[in-house]
Amino acid sequence: MQLTNNQYNRMVKAASPPTAHLRTMVTAFLVGGAICTLGQALINLYIHLGAEKDNAFAGASITLIFLGALLTGLNIYDDISKIGGAGALVPITGFANAVTAPALEYKTEGYIMGVGAKLFSIAGPVIVYGLSAGVLYGFIIYLLKL
């Protein structure tokens, strides 16, 4: 059976459940905002406890990464992601989830061929393209300032 692109698109649209765009955007905003608010609260707490501003930012980042990895290990972060969508995946906790989840999934295959080989299977491309974009952007800025 040969289908044209239009026929295929109509079949996909008919079979796909409708998306509640407004609800999805609101929950993503609320979950992402809650994560960012937690980060700001951690920064304020660390400054209140006597940390310098730069150290407070680093401490908040480390704490959020730890919490993202911990919640992934406890199978809680997946539930947060289902509710919050991109709001849970974009902040630093989503990156921690992207590194931790494959490591946990392939743990049974051993530490070398399982965890070591799959650790950056999701986050690896993000790191590579992010670094590449940063270098390219820096090079363009350097050339423009000559």
Side-chain angles (χ1 to χ4, degrees):
M1 178 175 164
Q2 294 288 352
L3 294 175
T4 66
N5 286 340
N6 287 337
Q7 290 171 325
Y8 179 75
N9 288 337
R10 275 185 265 147
M11 286 176 58
V12 168
K13 190 173 184 178
S16 300
T19 302
H21 294 293
L22 182 61
R23 185 179 72 85
T24 302
M25 287 186 288
V26 169
T27 55
F29 176 78
L30 292 174
V31 170
I35 293 170
C36 293
T37 301
L38 174 62
Q40 185 63 51
L42 288 168
I43 291 168
N44 293 346
L45 173 67
Y46 293 146
I47 289 173
H48 178 73
L49 293 175
E52 293 180 16
K53 193 173 185 178
D54 289 342
N55 293 336
F57 283 114
S61 295
I62 292 167
T63 304
L64 288 172
I65 290 169
F66 171 76
L67 289 174
L70 177 67
L71 293 175
T72 299
L74 296 174
N75 281 333
I76 296 172
Y77 203 86
D78 286 342
D79 295 333
I80 295 170
S81 296
K82 287 176 188 172
I83 295 167
L89 298 177
V90 172
I92 196 166
T93 53
F95 186 76
N97 173 265
V99 172
T100 307
L104 292 174
E105 184 176 343
Y106 291 98
K107 183 177 153 190
T108 58
E109 294 181 23
Y111 289 109
I112 303 295
M113 297 306 291
V115 175
K118 301 294 183 177
L119 187 63
F120 292 106
S121 62
I122 294 173
V126 173
I127 294 169
V128 169
Y129 289 113
L131 285 173
S132 300
V135 168
L136 180 63
Y137 179 72
F139 185 67
I140 291 170
I141 294 298
Y142 174 77
L143 288 176
L144 292 175
K145 289 188 177 184
L146 285 180

